[in-house]
Amino acid sequence: MSPQNRQPMPPIDAEPQAAAQAASHACTASHDPRPLGVIVLGRGSSGAAAREQLQALAEPLRALLPEARIVIAFADRASPSLPEALTQCLPCRQIIVQPLFLPGENALLRWLEKVAQRWRHQQASGAEALAALPPIVFAPGIWQQAALPELLARQIDQAQALPDVTQTTPERWQHDPAAWSTIPPHQRHALLCLGPRCTALGAAALWPQLTERLRACGKLQRGVMALQTSCQYPCNHGPLMIVYPDGIWYGRLDEDAIAHIVDEHLQHGRPLAQYRIHRTGQEPAGDA
C-alpha cells in the first residue's frame, strides 16, 4: 500500500473487528519463538543529538515490549541505515519499521519501502529463501496518530509554567564566536552526500573516515573543508562525493576509495579517474 493511502492507526478502543484481528495476530505470533523486530526510524544529524534522542526513546520502549528486538536506524546522515538495522533484527518473526520524523515525505517513505524490498532480495535468492525471511511492515508515522494533538495540547498546557527565555539563555547571548564572521582558508571543499539513498548504500560510515583522514594529514584540516550534503541526485552511483573547485564527482565509494582520494587528490592534487563518474569544467592536470 502506498504512503498516500495509509490510514491512521485505530485507537485502542476501536471497533471489535480490529480488536479481534489484533488478538488473532497475537495468538499466531505466540507460537513463533522468534522475537518481533522493531526499527525506530529517525532522521540523522551531524552531531550526536539524533542518536542520543532515539536511544533514549528506545530504552523505555524495550521495557514496554520486553520480547521485541528493538533497534534504531536513520533515513539519512547517520548510521545504522535501514538496511543495517534490518540485518540487526534477524532472526525474527516480523519486522515493524516505525517512522519517527516530521514531515512524513511521501517520496522518502516510498523510497524506504524500496530499500526494504532490495534488502530482502540481497539476503536471499529464490522463492523459498525469500519466503523464509520475516515480513516487513511500515507502521503509520507519528503524524498519522489520532492521539498526537491531545499529547501536544498537554505539552503546551504544562509549558505555560516554564521560565522565560531571559532565565534560560547564556549571559552573552548577543555575542557570536568571531569565527562565524571569518571566511575559512580552505582551498577545496569535499562534499559527501548523506542523503537517504547514499546513506542506505553506506555513506554514513564514510563520513568519520573522511574527517579523521583529513585530520591525520595535518595541513589538510585547514586546506580542505569536508561538508555533508543532502541528495546530489545521481543516486545509483552512490555513495557520492564532489570535490570543488576541481569539479570532480566521485561515486560508488567505500573506505578504500575515501582513503585513496584523500591521500592522492586532496593531499597531492592528483584526481583519481578510477572513482570519477563526472567532471565539470576543464580537465584537471595530473588526473591519475
Side-chain angles (χ1 to χ4, degrees):
M1 180 168 57
S2 69
Q4 297 99 318
N5 296 327
R6 286 193 181 96
Q7 297 298 318
M9 291 184 69
I12 295 176
D13 58 349
E15 305 87 30
Q17 182 180 3
Q21 290 175 346
S24 175
H25 178 77
C27 181
T28 302
S30 66
H31 297 293
D32 191 332
R34 295 174 300 172
L36 174 69
V38 177
I39 298 176
V40 181
L41 182 66
R43 303 294 296 263
S45 68
S46 58
R51 181 177 309 279
E52 292 172 353
Q53 290 170 15
L54 274 194
Q55 289 285 20
L57 180 63
E59 285 305 317
L61 194 57
R62 292 185 180 105
L64 292 169
L65 301 171
E67 297 182 0
R69 179 177 293 141
I70 296 172
V71 301
I72 66 170
F74 298 94
D76 56 0
R77 302 190 69 187
S79 61
S81 64
L82 178 57
E84 291 169 328
L86 288 166
T87 301
Q88 290 177 24
C89 285
L90 296 178
C92 62
R93 66 175 184 264
Q94 184 184 32
I95 299 176
I96 307 295
V97 181
Q98 177 60 70
L100 200 66
F101 48 80
L102 288 169
E105 301 171 15
N106 287 336
L108 175 58
L109 292 169
R110 285 195 300 271
W111 163 254
L112 292 169
E113 289 178 339
K114 290 171 63 175
V115 167
Q117 280 280 57
R118 291 172 181 176
W119 173 86
R120 287 176 60 86
H121 283 265
Q122 289 170 355
Q123 298 300 306
S125 59
E128 290 187 10
L130 283 170
L133 288 171
I136 301 169
V137 175
F138 277 74
I142 57 170
W143 62 93
Q144 295 174 290
Q145 302 304 312
L148 184 58
E150 182 179 348
L151 173 63
L152 292 175
R154 288 201 301 268
Q155 282 281 93
I156 293 167
D157 184 59
Q158 295 169 7
Q160 296 178 60
L162 296 178
D164 180 75
V165 293
T166 56
Q167 301 176 48
T168 59
T169 51
E171 291 184 3
R172 291 175 56 84
W173 58 268
Q174 71 273 38
H175 297 286
D176 292 327
W180 290 7
S181 300
T182 303
I183 305 299
H186 301 105
Q187 285 78 51
R188 287 188 173 95
H189 291 82
L191 310 177
L192 182 66
C193 179
L194 287 177
R197 295 154 187 82
C198 281
T199 296
L201 293 170
L206 302 181
W207 174 253
Q209 189 202 5
L210 173 63
T211 55
E212 289 165 12
R213 193 87 176 186
L214 290 173
R215 282 195 295 268
C217 290
K219 66 177 183 179
L220 288 186
Q221 267 196 286
R222 293 180 61 81
V224 178
M225 175 177 278
L227 297 170
Q228 299 179 6
T229 77
S230 57
C231 185
Q232 296 175 2
Y233 289 105
C235 306
N236 289 338
H237 295 283
L240 293 159
M241 183 170 73
I242 309 173
V243 177
Y244 281 120
D246 308 54
I248 304 295
W249 291 55
Y250 290 117
R252 299 184 177 91
L253 300 177
D254 56 19
E255 292 185 358
D256 289 340
I258 290 291
H260 204 185
I261 291 167
V262 171
D263 295 347
E264 292 295 322
H265 186 172
L266 300 181
Q267 187 167 19
H268 298 294
R270 297 191 288 262
L272 299 171
Q274 63 264 44
Y275 306 118
R276 190 185 69 192
I277 62 168
H278 181 66
R279 65 176 174 83
T280 60
Q282 188 176 2
E283 182 76 31
D287 203 356

